[in-house]
Amino acid sequence: MAKSLKDRLAILSDAAKYDASCASSGTTKRNSLKSGGLGSTEGSGICHAYAPDGRCISLLKILMTNFCIYDCAYCINRSSSNVARARFTPDEVVWLTLEFYRRNYIEGLFLSSGIIQNSDYTMEQMVRIAKDLRLKHGFRGYIHLKTIPEASAHLIEEAGLFADRLSINIELPTDAGVEKFAPQKHPANIRRSMGELKTKIDEAHEPTLKSRRRKRFVPAGQSTQMIIGADKASDATILNTSAGLYSGYRLRRVYYSAFSPIPDASQALPLIRPPLMREHRLYQADWLYRFYGFNIDEITASQPDGMLELDIDPKLSWALANRARFPVDINSADKELLLRVPGLGVKTVLSILKARKHKRLGLEDLARLKVSVKKVKAFISASGWAPVSLIDRADLREMFNPPPEQLALL
Amino acid sequence: MIHRVRLSGAGHFDDWRQAARSLILQGAEPRDIEWGCDYEYTDDLFAAPSAPPRAVTGTLSVPRAFLTLAERLLCHNNPARFSLAYRLLWRLQRERNLLAQVTDADMCQSHQLVKSVDRDCHKMKAFVRFKEMDGEGARRRFVAWFEPDHYIIRRTAPFFQRRFTDMDWIIATPKGSAAWDGQSLHFNDQPQTRPDIVDETDDLWRTYFANIFNPARLKVKMMQSEMPKKYWKNLPEADLIPQLIRDADKRVQEMNNQTLNQTPPRFHQRLNKARST
């Protein structure tokens, strides 16, 4: 019996949940006031719901089909899995996107797919969905397409005219890992696709001589995802791969997805609980690299096995290993140094720079800026405060450890 | 001399601005003004109709940043918002760089209130759920019920206008309503009652919500910090949450216990054959 739309939605959203990204931010600002149509994007994304896994639901994240001719060990949709299969027609995906959007459930569509027939056939169908949304229905919401590996360059280029973001998953942190677990995928080809896309994005960004207007092409850039914990790669290896992706292909985001048990799992993979804390620490380290001026090497340098500490965050970990750099004087240190203080975020640092033009700042001023004075005071000096004895304390690290669990009386 | 100002409704920014302008030009000190509005009027402080502030002519200039700050500040439900905004305006006459003093007590309080208003606006954009109404006209009609903490309907309505331009909609709240008909926005300051409408598409959305959830990554606290329970009663998907949480462990166990010696599907075997030939 044919499956109903609802049954297929269940299968094809279940199949999509292992993609971490749900971002709808960073694209051009646009709205429907002039066109009188449907949809807008206003810079920052909106999370319309949260699932009990704590993840934001911003987009309708589905697969077009979960039939797949590839057999990647980590993937629920690999050809050898006995998972239930289903397929949407392009019109059904368009309908679902528009009707969900009208009810304000979502910011737009994140469409991915298993590979049917061949890469180009699959990519063509996905491009058609994006094109129909934009041209037939005048939809101005957010569209993210996961490009299909090995799809022709002209299809990727066409996709870029309609999508806000394109992504292609690097899948695993090392080439050896990809070759082992995803035998039909080729790391060199994945990187070539990323490189071609970067070139196209750069070209479109150059104002043309004639119009000075920039062509709209993948305005929210490209992103990728890698699975953490399926292979043996260390955090240092992972972060180095990320740094290469950020600098080499100017990716907007690298997503880390803790390897999660899947139904009908392949025997090639560990049956483990997803390493969620490790994933969290990697995101924090990624942030330090992109927004706090840290080099990748610095972040993991103090860890001989190349693994981030799980019980404290990487910024605190770095500070404890580099105590000679502290205390930092909040009334005179430059921005780069302030950003290195555990407990000071980017926004707070900007507020400090602004506030100290008018007065000398003490701990009470930091408290007003909602800084946890308890956390930062070992690392800073301020008006009326010098932490001399704190920074040299042997038990400084213990002060940041979570309190021991209270023991029950026997 | 004590000045009493009672603003209509929840106190619109333009009304406050006009009153504050006159008062500043008269030299009225912050401590000599008692502010109030119809919504928050409780005792008979204002029983005797007060004369509206004398219209005083003159020029008064403030940094543009003050206007955007005060506009957001006045959306807050804290009854002290009018006097706080006036105190900032008063001090700005002498302390021209007040707005940059981010550790000043008045500035800190303002920022706190404004942050709460901004968050409320953001959550409204996120958690409004439109339900379709029957109708014969050329435009489709939708209605939503939302319960904001602050007086933010006028502030957020243009967002919905820019986004849902091709449909007619009403967003009703206990603090008034906004409506769009394709031509202009209409506001009503009267408290509304919750409409009783069923939209079948909610069922598909609930299917999506239940299936996009990964039971192996349960993080209930994280969900609740971003989607506090106070919003749940108006979200069609939220009543699924307790069951999803209860079943999560069981589902992960089931996944792990699945026998691994199942034969792969036939098309996989065909694919393998094709590859090896």
Side-chain angles (χ1 to χ4, degrees), chain A residues 16-35:
Chain A
K17 72 169 101 179
Y18 303 98
D19 256 311
S21 167
C22 206
S24 55
S25 55
T27 191
T28 46
K29 283 191 180 187
R30 51 181 192 263
N31 63 55
S32 295
L33 285 182
K34 270 199 194 134
S35 70

Side-chain angles (χ1 to χ4, degrees), chain A residues 285-395:
Chain A
D286 186 284
W287 237 254
L288 291 183
Y289 170 71
R290 289 189 297 143
F291 303 117
Y292 287 80
F294 281 79
N295 290 320
I296 288 293
D297 303 339
E298 288 181 289
I299 299 171
T300 50
S302 62
Q303 307 304 323
D305 56 355
M307 298 297 279
L308 298 169
E309 293 189 82
L310 290 178
D311 53 351
I312 57 172
D313 68 76
K315 196 174 174 192
L316 178 58
S317 175
W318 177 87
L320 291 172
N322 292 277
R323 294 186 195 195
R325 309 274 295 261
F326 297 96
V328 166
D329 185 342
I330 60 163
N331 284 300
S332 63
D334 59 16
K335 185 178 163 194
E336 287 65 34
L337 263 176
L338 288 172
L339 283 170
R340 299 242 162 184
V341 176
L344 297 185
V346 175
K347 261 193 188 163
T348 309
V349 167
L350 294 179
S351 293
I352 289 173
L353 293 173
K354 202 168 163 188
R356 76 185 188 189
K357 285 185 192 155
H358 306 284
K359 63 180 287 201
R360 282 187 57 76
L361 303 177
L363 294 183
E364 66 288 353
D365 292 304
L366 290 182
R368 286 222 181 101
L369 292 172
K370 304 288 169 212
V371 171
S372 162
V373 171
K374 199 174 149 221
K375 187 170 182 191
V376 299
K377 70 179 184 183
F379 299 103
I380 59 166
S381 56
S383 177
W385 170 253
V388 219
S389 56
L390 264 177
I391 196 75
D392 294 327
R393 277 172 71 149
D395 63 345

Side-chain angles (χ1 to χ4, degrees), chain B residues 163-221:
Chain B
R163 173 163 292 197
F164 301 104
T165 318
D166 73 349
M167 56 198 227
D168 288 355
W169 50 260
I170 299 170
I171 302 173
T173 85
K175 294 181 167 69
S177 68
W180 165 251
D181 58 7
Q183 302 298 318
S184 49
L185 285 171
H186 304 274
F187 296 103
N188 181 336
D189 285 341
Q190 294 309 307
Q192 306 290 306
T193 50
R194 188 189 169 133
D196 190 20
I197 290 175
V198 176
D199 186 328
E200 283 174 7
T201 308
D202 279 352
D203 199 33
L204 286 172
W205 170 242
R206 288 159 54 86
T207 301
Y208 176 68
F209 183 79
N211 284 284
I212 202 69
F213 161 58
N214 184 349
R217 298 180 56 107
L218 201 60
K219 273 189 182 173
V220 179
K221 255 195 205 153

Side-chain angles (χ1 to χ4, degrees), chain B residues 23-51:
Chain B
L23 289 163
I24 288 280
L25 291 172
Q26 289 172 54
E29 291 204 27
R31 61 159 187 256
D32 292 336
I33 307 170
E34 284 165 3
W35 294 91
C37 67
D38 292 346
Y39 276 18
E40 285 147 16
Y41 162 67
T42 45
D43 57 27
D44 59 0
L45 181 69
F46 295 103
S50 60

Side-chain angles (χ1 to χ4, degrees), chain A residues 17 32 37 39-40 42 48 52-53 59 61 69 79 82 99 102-105 107 264 279 368, chain B residues 103 125-126 128-129 132 140 162-164 166 199 202-203 208 213-214 217 219 258 263 268 275:
Chain A
K17 72 169 101 179
S32 295
S40 64
E42 310 213 336
H48 286 271
D53 50 23
L59 302 170
K61 182 161 59 175
I69 58 175
S79 58
N82 279 293
E99 292 306 314
R102 286 191 183 286
R103 286 161 181 81
N104 204 39
Y105 304 150
E107 288 292 289
D264 195 27
E279 179 192 281
R368 286 222 181 101
Chain B
T103 58
K125 292 172 188 172
V128 155
R129 295 285 184 263
E132 185 156 26
R140 293 171 65 180
R162 292 191 293 272
R163 173 163 292 197
F164 301 104
D166 73 349
D199 186 328
D202 279 352
D203 199 33
Y208 176 68
F213 161 58
N214 184 349
R217 298 180 56 107
K219 273 189 182 173
Q258 266 181 350
T263 39
H268 173 74
R275 270 190 206 114

Side-chain angles (χ1 to χ4, degrees), chain B residues 105-251:
Chain B
D106 283 341
M107 285 302 296
C108 281
Q109 198 197 352
S110 307
H111 277 299
Q112 229 172 313
L113 299 189
V114 160
K115 220 167 133 184
S116 163
V117 168
D118 286 350
R119 182 175 163 90
D120 204 30
C121 288
H122 187 73
K123 293 300 179 194
M124 180 168 174
K125 292 172 188 172
F127 297 148
V128 155
R129 295 285 184 263
F130 284 115
K131 292 177 193 291
E132 185 156 26
M133 295 189 284
D134 296 329
E136 311 249 301
R139 290 166 64 85
R140 293 171 65 180
R141 297 160 64 223
F142 292 81
V143 66
W145 172 251
F146 187 73
E147 297 175 47
D149 290 336
H150 306 295
Y151 301 104
I152 55 170
I153 300 150
R154 285 168 189 266
R155 192 166 172 78
T156 52
F159 165 82
F160 293 98
Q161 178 194 359
R162 292 191 293 272
R163 173 163 292 197
F164 301 104
T165 318
D166 73 349
M167 56 198 227
D168 288 355
W169 50 260
I170 299 170
I171 302 173
T173 85
K175 294 181 167 69
S177 68
W180 165 251
D181 58 7
Q183 302 298 318
S184 49
L185 285 171
H186 304 274
F187 296 103
N188 181 336
D189 285 341
Q190 294 309 307
Q192 306 290 306
T193 50
R194 188 189 169 133
D196 190 20
I197 290 175
V198 176
D199 186 328
E200 283 174 7
T201 308
D202 279 352
D203 199 33
L204 286 172
W205 170 242
R206 288 159 54 86
T207 301
Y208 176 68
F209 183 79
N211 284 284
I212 202 69
F213 161 58
N214 184 349
R217 298 180 56 107
L218 201 60
K219 273 189 182 173
V220 179
K221 255 195 205 153
M222 178 79 170
M223 167 189 66
Q224 285 198 22
S225 74
E226 294 297 337
M227 195 167 81
K229 276 192 172 164
K230 67 179 175 189
Y231 295 110
W232 289 17
K233 60 180 184 290
N234 296 319
L235 294 170
E237 66 274 22
D239 62 355
L240 297 170
I241 293 171
Q243 183 80 35
L244 290 174
I245 295 172
R246 265 200 305 279
D247 292 348
D249 264 355
K250 201 175 76 197
R251 286 172 62 191

